[in-house]
Amino acid sequence: MGFRAHAAYVRRIVGIVLAVLLIGGVAAAVVAGRDRDGDGSSGTAATTVRGVIGSEKAEFFADPDTVKALAARGITVKAETSGSWAMDQLSLEGKDFAFPSSNAPADELRRRSAVEGGPLRPFYSPLVVVAHRNAAEVLAANGLARLKTDGTSSFATRGTLLMGPYLKAAEADRTWQQLEGASGHAELSGTLFITSTDPVSSNSGALYLAAASYVADGGRVAADRAAVDRTAVLMRKLVQVQGAQQTSSDAPFRDFISGVGNPLVLVYESQVASLLTHSKRQEIGDLVVLYPDTTVSSDHTLVPLTAAGRQLGELLSTDPQLRELAVRHGFRPQGAAAEFTAATAAHTDYIDQQLTGVRQAPVPTAEVLRTMAERARS
């Protein structure tokens, strides 16, 4: 074979090999794309649903089982976190849903949705106060809390925070040192207060003010500026004694479990229930869960901005597997107490399944609550 013929032959072979590689690369890209949009195993294409969520739901959406369950139903969720009350300041362009932690911020967001139908509330969680054992016992000794033992141990792991007496103590600027039984506990010093989140940007902080103002104003929900004025001084004390506040309850709760920070922290019951479900008991330490006798339940409210967002909300509300996964992360599904009761049956020494003796305070409108939060921070 001559040089020219040999060269032509080589070029033909190289061309064939390149063509095979190109076809293989295109096929691999298609498969990769399918896996990326689907559940990574079936190759079934999925609809990507984008949204913004409260940080307390981040672990639920990141759970591999949640990701897999949604993918099996043709959905991949891409979510970013934000304080619930800060969501209305975000650009929601390109988003399919917003998922704050209560109705009030959802009402603000709903005005920006052109999707027919109202928001969806797949699950909820009441606010609780976590306390270290020494702090809880001192509160009880001074009439600010009632503790309950389960009969299997000599100390309480659950109880009730008496909001009326507690708010009177806060109004009087009482310190731990002024409380009977606090001496000898170096960690109990300074002004008595509950750590909460920034009420201007965070849902739990705003709902704390809603419950506190309701109790302080004689069981009246704040309906106007005059009502805000009546409790403004006390609300300011509850907030400003804390100094800098977080925009999410996640960090204060993790600090508490690690044994640092304030001995009293306002969190969602779902955070406690999730911890109990996923942790070994020795990791819980001296945790005591105090249910305020007047509290507010956080109705996690999904606001659909597109049809895809509504599809996600309906799945979270009705799909048995997704409801079970929500319970695993400590949430109470709407309309199905039995699911939560069964999941927390082993943890009733900490969790009050029936919310015995807990009164739900009405929540002011979004406008009034925002005014209250801004006054408290001013």
Side-chain angles (χ1 to χ4, degrees), residues 27-38 43-46:
V30 170
V31 171
R34 286 177 177 171
D35 282 345
R36 186 166 54 249
D37 291 336
T44 301

Side-chain angles (χ1 to χ4, degrees), residues 60 63 65-66 69 73 122-123 274 277-278 315-334 336 338-340 342-344:
F60 167 70
D63 186 332
D65 289 337
T66 302
R73 291 148 184 80
F123 39 74
S274 179
T277 301
H278 293 92
L315 280 172
L316 294 175
S317 300
T318 62
D319 185 90
Q321 184 181 6
L322 290 170
R323 289 168 66 91
E324 181 181 337
L325 287 166
V327 169
R328 181 197 294 181
H329 287 272
F331 299 109
R332 294 177 181 247
Q334 294 284 4
E339 295 173 85
F340 183 82
T344 58

Side-chain angles (χ1 to χ4, degrees), residues 229-310:
D229 290 342
R230 286 196 296 270
T231 61
V233 173
L234 176 57
M235 298 305 103
R236 190 176 297 117
K237 282 190 174 186
L238 296 178
V239 169
Q240 295 192 354
V241 70
Q242 302 180 46
Q245 292 177 290
Q246 300 278 353
T247 59
S248 165
S249 60
D250 184 60
F253 183 57
R254 292 183 185 278
D255 286 345
F256 175 88
I257 295 301
S258 299
V260 299
N262 194 44
L264 303 173
V265 180
L266 184 81
V267 300
Y268 294 107
E269 180 197 58
S270 59
Q271 292 171 285
V272 178
S274 179
L275 176 72
L276 293 169
T277 301
H278 293 92
S279 298
K280 297 178 181 178
R281 282 302 175 101
Q282 61 265 30
E283 297 174 356
I284 299 171
D286 63 350
L287 169 71
V288 178
V289 183
L290 300 176
Y291 285 80
D293 58 4
T294 302
T295 189
V296 175
S297 283
S298 179
D299 290 317
H300 294 271
T301 306
L302 188 147
V303 179
L305 305 175
T306 66
R310 174 162 292 282

Side-chain angles (χ1 to χ4, degrees), residues 9-162:
Y9 174 75
V10 170
R11 285 197 296 272
R12 285 196 297 273
I13 295 299
V14 171
I16 292 171
V17 171
L18 289 174
V20 171
L21 290 174
L22 179 60
I23 293 170
V26 170
V30 170
V31 171
R34 286 177 177 171
D35 282 345
R36 186 166 54 249
D37 291 336
D39 64 4
S41 58
S42 67
T44 301
T47 299
T48 298
V49 182
R50 302 182 186 278
V52 56
I53 62 174
S55 60
E56 68 289 329
K57 293 182 283 290
E59 289 188 1
F60 167 70
F61 280 106
D63 186 332
D65 289 337
T66 302
V67 173
K68 185 176 180 180
L70 286 168
R73 291 148 184 80
I75 289 179
T76 296
V77 173
K78 301 291 185 183
E80 60 187 67
T81 61
S82 167
S84 293
W85 283 91
M87 287 184 187
D88 67 343
Q89 306 299 317
L90 300 176
S91 170
L92 297 179
E93 184 177 355
K95 298 293 191 293
D96 298 292
F97 69 97
F99 203 172
S101 301
S102 67
N103 294 337
D107 288 341
E108 295 281 303
L109 293 162
R110 184 171 52 186
R111 299 188 183 98
R112 301 165 66 176
S113 173
V115 178
E116 292 185 4
L120 302 105
R121 302 178 180 89
F123 39 74
Y124 68 99
S125 182
L127 290 171
V128 300
V129 173
V130 290
H132 292 299
R133 186 180 307 150
N134 289 338
E137 290 174 347
V138 169
L139 291 179
N142 289 269
L144 306 180
R146 286 194 300 266
L147 300 183
K148 175 183 176 61
T149 59
D150 62 0
T152 62
S153 61
S154 59
F155 53 84
T157 51
R158 174 160 63 88
T160 303
L161 177 70
L162 306 178

